[in-house]
Amino acid sequence: QVQLVESGGGLVQSGGSLRLSCAASGFTFRWYAMSWYRQAPGTERALVASITGGGESITYAASVKGRFTISRDNDKNQVYLQMNSLKPEDTAVYYCKTPFSGGSWGRGTQVTVSS
C-alpha cells in the first residue's frame, strides 16, 4: 500500500529557508507525478507545487513562485520542497501527494515562520 511520510518541517524566522522531504513507498515512484500541498489555519488545503514523474514539467502556485523549488530523486523514492525567503504567510501543515494515493493523506509536517 502507498505510504508517504513527510519530514523537515520546523520553526524558522522570516526570510529563512527550510527543506521538506517526502519518502514514498508502495508504488513505482518514478511513474507518477508528485505534489506538495499545504493547509494553513482556517483555510482549505491548497496546491503548492507539482512535478512530473521524470521531473520534466514543474508547476507552482503563484504565491510561492521564485521562492520554492520542487525536485525529486527517483533513485531514492523521495520528493523535496526547498523553501527560501519564507514569510509568515507560509505557515501551514505541508503534505506530499500522488494521484495514486487517492483521497488518503499522511500526517504532513508543520512549518511555522515567525516574524
Side-chain angles (χ1 to χ4, degrees):
Q1 48 197 7
V2 175
Q3 293 188 55
L4 300 170
V5 182
E6 301 92 344
S7 63
L11 176 64
V12 65
Q13 293 184 342
S14 181
S17 298
L18 209 58
R19 190 171 91 143
L20 307 183
S21 298
C22 173
S25 62
F27 64 105
T28 305
F29 182 76
R30 66 183 181 276
W31 291 356
Y32 295 93
M34 295 294 298
S35 298
W36 285 97
Y37 288 75
R38 67 185 182 187
Q39 186 167 25
T43 71
E44 295 184 349
R45 204 185 323 254
L47 179 66
V48 176
S50 295
I51 184 169
T52 54
E56 295 180 322
S57 182
I58 295 171
T59 58
Y60 296 99
S63 59
V64 306
K65 285 182 179 178
R67 300 188 298 119
F68 289 12
T69 302
I70 188 171
S71 62
R72 65 191 296 159
D73 186 337
N74 286 345
D75 291 331
K76 296 181 178 179
N77 286 10
Q78 298 225 352
V79 61
Y80 309 99
L81 186 68
Q82 178 66 47
M83 305 184 294
N84 298 327
S85 301
L86 282 162
K87 305 174 181 179
E89 303 90 88
D90 296 318
T91 295
V93 178
Y94 285 71
Y95 304 86
C96 62
K97 185 78 167 69
T98 173
F100 205 73
S101 66
S104 298
W105 299 86
R107 292 185 177 185
T109 185
Q110 175 71 50
V111 172
T112 303
V113 185
S114 65
S115 58

